[in-house]
Amino acid sequence: MFNRNRFLRRVAAIASLSLVATGCGLLSSGDGGGKGPIVVGTTSAPSTLDPAGAWDGSWELYRNIFQTLLAYPNGATTPQPDAAQSCSFTDSSSRTYRCSLRPGLKFADGDPLNAQAVKYSIDRIRKIDAPGGPAGLLGSLDRVQALGDREVVFQLNQSDATFPFVLATPAMSIVDPNDYPADSLRKDDQVYGSGPYELKSYDEDKQAVLVGNGSYQGFAKRQNDAVTIRYFQDSAGMVKALRDKQIDVTYRGLAADDIVALQQHGNSNLQLVDGTGTDISYLVFNPKDPWAKQPAVRKAVAQIVDRGAIAHKVYKDTVDPLYSMVPKGLTGHTTGFFDDYGDPSVPKARKILSDAGIHQPVPLTLWYTTDRYGSETALMFQELKRQLEASGLFTVTLESRPWKTYVVGYQKGEYPVFGRGWFPDFPDADNFIAPFVGDHNALGTPYPSPEITDKLLPHSRAESDRAQTVKDMEQAQQILVNDARLIPLWQGRQFIAASEDISGGEQALDPSTIMTMWALHRKTSW
């Protein structure tokens, strides 16, 4: 059995980065410029170009071509004005939030960006309520008012100190009312935002070509003139393109073997940055399935899963075992699954099942996506199958689909047990609990939990000092442990590989570990 105590002692600050390769650093300063666009590779392609339709990795592109009222300037851990000139709660109960826009804002096509456009953008998210879309983030919003051209007021239906964080997510990107229908998603590949870049061209699942937006007004200071994002199917192709100098930077999707190879062998022409992340991987149990709906079955799975073995054997220690839905490094994190279940134990799992009257092997079908969370996903599910079947308590069938059809399947409730990953909307424990509970959640699988949704979350959101929410967050996590509807598996670390002449990587990661492309630049002198 793998030693997980070593992992429980490993604590790191969010988004802290350390250079692990030789050569001139990605973190060093330098002048911008250089010939041609900076080319960034990733395995996380957008699912849609319309912000009203995505609660996923599409946000990476949105952050760079759209604006939000608030965002994260370099070094900030709380939202600051971007399209807004100022924002604040105007009452002591955190139920009225008011923003004043910068004067003279325009979309890239020249149309004015005003308070009416902000109201329109937020209202259409809720009106469309797209499957897999971000409407669930706006549960505390009652209504939006546009007062004149520059004043926007958000009236909330409950106290919610996290609302500024919600407004800072790329889901709340401001779109042009002239270009985006009010009651349906835009289907073409044209985008007119007001962010630091314009989307010059887009080839679905292949590349996005970004050029500087000369009419942008906000805090971002572009250190380059253009960025091309190339979308890869796997890490191997992406790393080969980096070594062949076809791309300059890789982000999201580096496989464990490639990371280890870069760490061990190094390359005088490449650099690797290892940063602590807050992305997590977890299993979801469908309460409509006759086996997955039984608490004893879920708890027996939780008792058998060996997270340390997954982290070590599959991910080569490039991820850390996770024992709560709230990752390490965030205020309120606990180790509830380890505290309650301890080390993996077949006898304990057998007793859980037998006490519930289950004496035969439990048949489970586990689903995963083939092209979203990295090439190790299939290997991880094979390891989960091995662990569960080795216990003699389960027979496991593995099934998989590409992401776009996988999403449709879990939203329809087709999968008994399925794997998901989560990149945070914002760096607060609330965001690792609230999106997964309630009738309208990010899982597409209702998870009623009145104690969390009606008591703990409202109570914690009334507290503007987030350090004072620890007790509520701990109680919520224990409820998740007791239910075992969600079983956390691992917490990721962010790795960036880049050519030696690229700088700005540390500044490019915001607190949600989204890459802000405008911080990247080429070094012009050594």
Side-chain angles (χ1 to χ4, degrees):
M1 189 175 302
F2 192 68
N3 182 357
R4 56 191 43 75
N5 290 330
R6 172 168 64 90
F7 290 98
L8 290 173
R9 293 193 298 265
R10 184 187 295 167
V11 179
I14 296 173
S16 65
L17 299 174
S18 59
L19 190 64
V20 297
T22 59
C24 295
L26 188 64
L27 312 185
S28 61
S29 61
D31 296 327
K35 296 181 179 179
I38 291 177
V39 184
V40 178
T42 178
T43 61
S44 183
S47 58
T48 173
L49 295 184
D50 191 328
W55 197 347
D56 58 27
S58 305
W59 289 9
E60 201 103 52
L61 182 61
Y62 301 165
R63 175 62 79 206
N64 291 278
I65 58 178
F66 292 103
Q67 265 186 301
T68 46
L69 289 171
L70 303 163
Y72 299 94
N74 179 31
T77 56
T78 56
Q80 305 296 320
D82 187 19
Q85 189 171 62
S86 63
C87 288
S88 64
F89 282 106
T90 60
D91 64 332
S92 59
S93 62
S94 299
R95 296 186 62 164
T96 301
Y97 196 72
R98 185 177 186 125
C99 292
S100 297
L101 296 179
R102 295 175 185 263
L105 289 173
K106 294 182 179 180
F107 292 102
D109 62 355
D111 287 346
L113 192 166
N114 51 29
Q116 288 73 28
V118 175
K119 172 177 168 57
Y120 183 90
S121 300
I122 303 299
D123 284 345
R124 73 184 291 267
I125 292 173
R126 297 201 295 175
K127 185 172 185 179
I128 295 171
D129 194 14
L137 283 169
L138 295 170
S140 65
L141 178 62
D142 181 26
R143 66 186 186 278
V144 188
Q145 298 171 282
L147 306 180
D149 287 338
R150 292 181 53 204
E151 300 295 320
V152 185
V153 178
F154 299 90
Q155 299 289 349
L156 308 184
N157 54 37
Q158 58 185 288
S159 298
D160 188 359
T162 71
F163 190 71
F165 291 91
V166 172
L167 290 180
T169 66
M172 304 300 136
S173 295
I174 306 167
V175 301
D176 190 339
N178 293 326
D179 298 320
Y180 290 80
D183 55 2
S184 64
L185 296 177
R186 185 173 175 175
K187 302 298 185 182
D188 61 24
D189 59 2
Q190 300 297 307
V191 170
Y192 296 105
S194 60
Y197 296 96
E198 296 181 53
L199 183 64
K200 182 178 180 181
S201 66
Y202 181 73
D203 191 353
E204 186 175 4
D205 294 330
K206 294 183 180 179
Q207 73 174 20
V209 177
L210 281 56
V211 297
N213 176 11
S215 61
Y216 167 73
Q217 294 186 57
F219 63 74
K221 306 298 181 185
R222 278 191 295 104
Q223 301 297 310
N224 58 69
D225 296 325
V227 171
T228 295
I229 305 173
R230 285 186 55 190
Y231 302 112
F232 291 84
Q233 293 299 309
D234 54 44
S235 174
M238 184 167 65
V239 172
K240 183 179 186 302
L242 179 66
R243 294 188 183 279
D244 292 345
K245 300 185 183 302
Q246 296 174 355
I247 63 176
D248 301 301
V249 183
T250 69
Y251 183 58
R252 294 217 194 281
L254 279 175
D257 286 340
D258 292 320
I259 293 169
V260 171
L262 287 167
Q263 288 173 329
Q264 292 179 345
H265 305 299
N267 189 315
S268 60
N269 297 318
L270 297 178
Q271 43 185 318
L272 179 69
V273 170
D274 176 355
T276 300
T278 51
D279 58 302
I280 66 172
S281 176
Y282 57 99
L283 293 177
V284 183
F285 288 79
N286 185 349
K288 295 181 180 179
D289 179 80
W291 288 107
K293 73 178 182 181
Q294 299 187 50
V297 170
R298 303 194 299 263
K299 292 178 180 180
V301 172
Q303 185 62 72
I304 289 171
V305 169
D306 190 339
R307 296 165 178 80
I310 292 172
H312 184 60
K313 293 170 60 176
V314 178
Y315 289 93
K316 313 295 176 63
D317 298 334
T318 61
V319 302
D320 293 341
L322 183 63
Y323 297 92
S324 168
M325 291 297 289
V326 176
K328 292 174 290 185
L330 292 185
T331 300
H333 162 74
T334 69
T335 55
F337 276 88
F338 184 79
D339 298 339
D340 281 25
Y341 293 96
D343 289 330
S345 171
V346 173
K348 289 182 180 179
R350 181 179 293 109
K351 186 176 188 306
I352 291 172
L353 292 173
S354 63
D355 286 351
I358 301 172
H359 302 287
Q360 76 274 26
V362 175
L364 286 180
T365 301
L366 274 58
W367 282 81
Y368 64 93
T369 179
T370 58
D371 58 352
R372 192 65 178 176
Y373 303 123
S375 55
E376 291 90 1
T377 303
L379 298 176
M380 179 179 75
F381 274 81
Q382 291 169 18
E383 172 63 15
L384 286 169
K385 174 182 169 70
R386 186 198 67 76
Q387 291 178 9
L388 292 171
E389 291 191 335
S391 72
L393 303 175
F394 294 91
T395 58
V396 176
T397 301
L398 297 182
E399 298 284 356
S400 63
R401 286 177 179 171
W403 177 252
K404 288 187 177 180
T405 54
Y406 184 74
V407 172
V408 175
Y410 73 66
Q411 289 170 349
K412 291 181 177 180
E414 295 179 1
Y415 311 148
V417 186
F418 59 98
R420 281 294 310 270
W422 184 252
F423 295 94
D425 304 323
F426 50 86
D428 190 285
D430 178 289
N431 192 237
F432 289 86
I433 297 173
F436 309 128
V437 294
D439 294 330
H440 190 129
N441 62 43
L443 303 173
T445 301
Y447 182 178
S449 182
E451 179 72 9
I452 295 178
T453 57
D454 300 343
K455 180 180 176 182
L456 296 174
L457 289 177
H459 185 262
S460 69
R461 287 174 174 176
E463 180 56 69
S464 58
D465 181 355
R466 304 306 293 162
Q468 300 302 313
T469 65
V470 170
K471 185 177 180 180
D472 290 329
M473 293 298 100
E474 289 178 346
Q475 290 182 29
Q477 287 170 85
Q478 189 58 48
I479 292 172
L480 297 181
V481 172
N482 295 341
D483 292 344
R485 281 277 308 274
L486 310 170
I487 296 181
L489 299 173
W490 53 256
Q491 174 177 350
R493 304 198 332 248
Q494 296 302 324
F495 291 90
I496 302 173
S499 61
E500 61 181 346
D501 67 332
I502 297 295
S503 292
E506 183 179 40
Q507 294 78 19
L509 298 178
D510 77 3
S512 298
T513 65
I514 289 176
M515 180 172 277
T516 54
M517 304 297 176
W518 61 81
L520 300 173
H521 55 94
R522 298 186 191 279
K523 298 172 71 73
T524 56
S525 61
W526 294 83

